[in-house]
Structure formats: structure tokens, C-alpha cells
Amino acid sequence: MSILKELRNIINPELILIDEELKNHTYTKLGGKADFFVTPSTVEEVQEIIRYANKTEVPFTLLGNGSNVIVRDGGIRGIVLSLKKFTGIKREGNKVIAESGARIIDASRFALKEHLTGLEFACGIPGTVGGALYMNAGAYGGEVKDCLESALVVDSTGDVHRLSADAFDLAYRTSNIAEKGYIVLEATFSLEIGDYHEVKAVMDDLTYKRESKQPLEYPSCGSVFKRPPGYFAGKLIQDSELQGKGVGGAEVSTKHAGFIVNKNNATATDYISVIEMVQREVKEKFGVDLEREVRILGED
């Protein structure tokens, strides 16, 4: 039985796109086609898709909202699963429970509305809740690890588990989620009662800092590199005189050296070439290895 026929037995055929351009689903506006792009609407559908892929060994890739990922120009084979329909956010006591497809920004804004403090740092992070947990996203001195209590996940066999935060080995911009084969369904953040105006003032300040310093006028994957011990990636790149330099339509931002922007219809190959150029130049000048924060998926 064909993959398409099997998928149609699992979810509504309208939720299956064939040969979908992934550049329509990434912040960089880069990426080739997905063979099958599926957007299940229930946990049971997610479980069944995983079990089907597992049983038949059809390639399977989870894609969040594409804010911290580069998809190569050849696209992604097999099934690409998006949880963009999982966007619910609710409050239970002093906890915010957010589904994995919700934006972490929206979870932060919800916490503000509920007079809760602890998620302010996330008010400018464009990724989903699931993606934020996957990479222990952080900004301005805070990170997911600081407030995550637990998460609901599906494992590689399709079984659902609720796991405490310490089960994910959260560290600087990393977790064990890929290694364990988990797909995050929802996250529970443990927060505290805060003063609405104080929380809003912090969020307004962080939003101003982000908008004034980051090149939000161009498509990008956000901060490309992890902070190397003892250094700042952006400063190393700036001091290497790489701002404004690029390949094809991609270049190192003149506004913030830690960003690479799609300035003029870049390809993923252009973008990745700029990343490699930056790594090479910084290594040559300062002897520092810049490690990517952004994930690269797919085929050339």
C-alpha cells in the first residue's frame, strides 16, 4: 500500500500535502520539497503516524515552525510532521501548560496576561514551545530549564509519557530529546505570581533590545552559533570583519554579526556556505571553533 494511502487512513486527507515547498515553512525562506507534509490534529493521529513510519521504515522528520532550522535545497524525503495545530495554552494554578506547536512568545504573553512571572526571557524567541524545549532556548539571562516542570512526549514507538524536566538533560542550547527520539506534545512551566506592570516593563525592554539590535527586516534563522566559552560569537565575527560578506543571496548581517540573513533570494546552499565561511575565518583569526546552534536538515 502506498504511503499516501496509508496516511489517508490515519488522518484527514486535507491535512496531507504532497511535494510541499518547505521554504514556505521556514524563517529563512529556504528549503526544497517534502514528499509528504502532514499536520495531525490529535495526539492519537501523531501516535499512529509515528507507528506507521516505525513499522515501514519510511523516513520521518519533525518540523516546528522552522525558526531555528535550515532545510537544504533538495528537501526532505518521506514524512515531515508539523504540530502547528497543537497551539493550546492554559493556566493551572501558577503553571502555564502550552502545547508544543504554540509559539513560546505566545506562552510568555499568556503568562503576562495571567500576572505570572518567569517566562519574560522568552518574549522575543520566535520558536515553538516544542522547539524551545528541544534546544533549551534562552535569551537575556533566562532559559527554558529555569522554569520547565515537566513535558508530555511521544516516544519513537508511539507511546505517550509525562516526564519531569530533569529527564531531558537540559544544558546550554541542548537536550537529549533527539537522542531519545521524543516528540514533545506539551510543556508545563512552573511560574510565580508577579506584578503585571513589572512583568510587562521587563518584556517591553527585552522587545526593544531585540528589535533595535536584530535584523528582523530580513529572513534568517536567528542566532546561528552557540556562545563559545569565554567569547561572544557576534563579537568574534564582527572582529573578523565579516559583516556584509556573503555568498549568493545570503550574507552576514551588518546590523548584528551573529545573524546570517537571506537578503536576496538565497538558496540553502548559499546560506550554509556563509556559515562555513564564518566558521573558517573565525577559526583562522582567533583559533575558536564556532558551533552551530541552528539545525540543518534534508538533502542537497
Side-chain angles (χ1 to χ4, degrees), residues 201-240:
V202 170
M203 290 172 65
D204 287 347
D205 180 54
L206 296 183
T207 299
Y208 170 76
K209 286 177 179 174
R210 175 174 178 263
E211 291 178 350
S212 61
K213 293 178 181 177
Q214 297 182 9
L216 304 179
E217 64 272 25
Y218 293 112
S220 83
C221 64
S223 183
V224 178
F225 303 104
K226 295 181 181 181
R227 181 185 297 174
Y231 298 92
F232 291 95
K235 182 75 165 62
L236 290 170
I237 297 165
Q238 185 178 326
D239 291 347
S240 298

Side-chain angles (χ1 to χ4, degrees), residues 132-275:
L133 176 46
Y134 179 96
M135 65 171 293
N136 186 29
Y140 301 110
E143 58 185 357
V144 167
K145 183 181 181 181
D146 298 337
C147 55
L148 182 73
E149 178 177 287
S150 65
L152 195 68
V153 303
V154 183
D155 66 20
S156 57
T157 65
D159 294 331
V160 175
H161 310 272
R162 179 165 296 282
L163 301 174
S164 62
D166 58 12
F168 300 108
D169 291 344
L170 298 175
Y172 177 64
R173 302 299 175 265
T174 188
S175 72
N176 64 9
I177 289 174
E179 175 193 330
K180 296 284 189 182
Y182 295 145
I183 289 177
V184 177
L185 295 173
E186 70 174 31
T188 299
F189 299 102
S190 181
L191 307 176
E192 296 178 2
I193 298 292
D195 179 87
Y196 175 88
H197 299 288
E198 289 178 7
V199 173
K200 186 174 187 303
V202 170
M203 290 172 65
D204 287 347
D205 180 54
L206 296 183
T207 299
Y208 170 76
K209 286 177 179 174
R210 175 174 178 263
E211 291 178 350
S212 61
K213 293 178 181 177
Q214 297 182 9
L216 304 179
E217 64 272 25
Y218 293 112
S220 83
C221 64
S223 183
V224 178
F225 303 104
K226 295 181 181 181
R227 181 185 297 174
Y231 298 92
F232 291 95
K235 182 75 165 62
L236 290 170
I237 297 165
Q238 185 178 326
D239 291 347
S240 298
E241 299 179 347
L242 290 170
Q243 286 179 279
K245 294 188 177 179
V247 176
E251 71 173 45
V252 179
S253 168
T254 55
K255 190 172 183 181
H256 189 311
F259 284 63
I260 294 170
V261 293
N262 178 356
K263 199 168 181 182
N264 187 22
N265 297 315
T267 64
T269 303
D270 292 341
Y271 206 93
I272 293 166
S273 295
V274 177
I275 291 175

Side-chain angles (χ1 to χ4, degrees), residues 262-295:
N262 178 356
K263 199 168 181 182
N264 187 22
N265 297 315
T267 64
T269 303
D270 292 341
Y271 206 93
I272 293 166
S273 295
V274 177
I275 291 175
E276 292 169 347
M277 175 190 74
V278 168
Q279 289 174 315
R280 200 166 51 243
E281 292 282 332
V282 168
K283 175 69 171 176
E284 193 176 303
K285 262 201 167 129
F286 298 101
V288 177
D289 291 306
L290 289 182
E291 185 182 349
R292 275 190 289 105
E293 184 174 302
V294 63
R295 290 192 300 148

Side-chain angles (χ1 to χ4, degrees), residues 6-20:
E6 286 279 13
L7 288 173
R8 283 175 170 165
N9 286 336
I10 297 171
I11 65 173
N12 184 331
E14 292 178 5
L15 304 179
I16 306 166
L17 299 176
I18 303 167
D19 289 335
E20 175 68 1

Side-chain angles (χ1 to χ4, degrees), residues 6-119:
E6 286 279 13
L7 288 173
R8 283 175 170 165
N9 286 336
I10 297 171
I11 65 173
N12 184 331
E14 292 178 5
L15 304 179
I16 306 166
L17 299 176
I18 303 167
D19 289 335
E20 175 68 1
E21 293 277 3
L22 291 171
K23 65 184 179 183
N24 297 330
H25 303 278
T26 61
Y27 269 55
T28 54
K29 302 301 178 190
L30 305 171
K33 296 178 179 179
D35 292 345
F36 301 97
F37 185 84
V38 299
T39 53
S41 57
T42 69
V43 171
E44 291 73 25
E45 287 173 347
V46 175
Q47 291 177 283
E48 286 306 308
I49 291 166
I50 292 169
R51 286 172 179 149
Y52 165 67
N54 209 18
K55 180 179 70 177
T56 58
E57 297 185 347
V58 172
F60 174 85
T61 304
L62 177 68
L63 186 69
N65 69 348
S67 62
N68 194 48
V69 69
I70 298 165
V71 176
R72 295 182 191 271
D73 299 314
I76 300 177
R77 302 290 68 81
I79 299 167
V80 174
L81 183 142
S82 165
L83 295 179
K84 66 180 184 179
K85 294 191 179 299
F86 288 70
T87 58
I89 304 174
K90 63 184 180 181
R91 175 180 182 174
E92 287 186 6
N94 291 348
K95 298 172 186 176
V96 166
I97 301 170
E99 293 183 337
S100 63
R103 297 189 311 160
I104 192 76
I105 287 176
D106 292 333
S108 178
R109 290 172 180 164
F110 178 87
L112 167 66
K113 184 170 69 75
E114 296 292 322
H115 298 226
L116 294 171
T117 180
L119 267 178

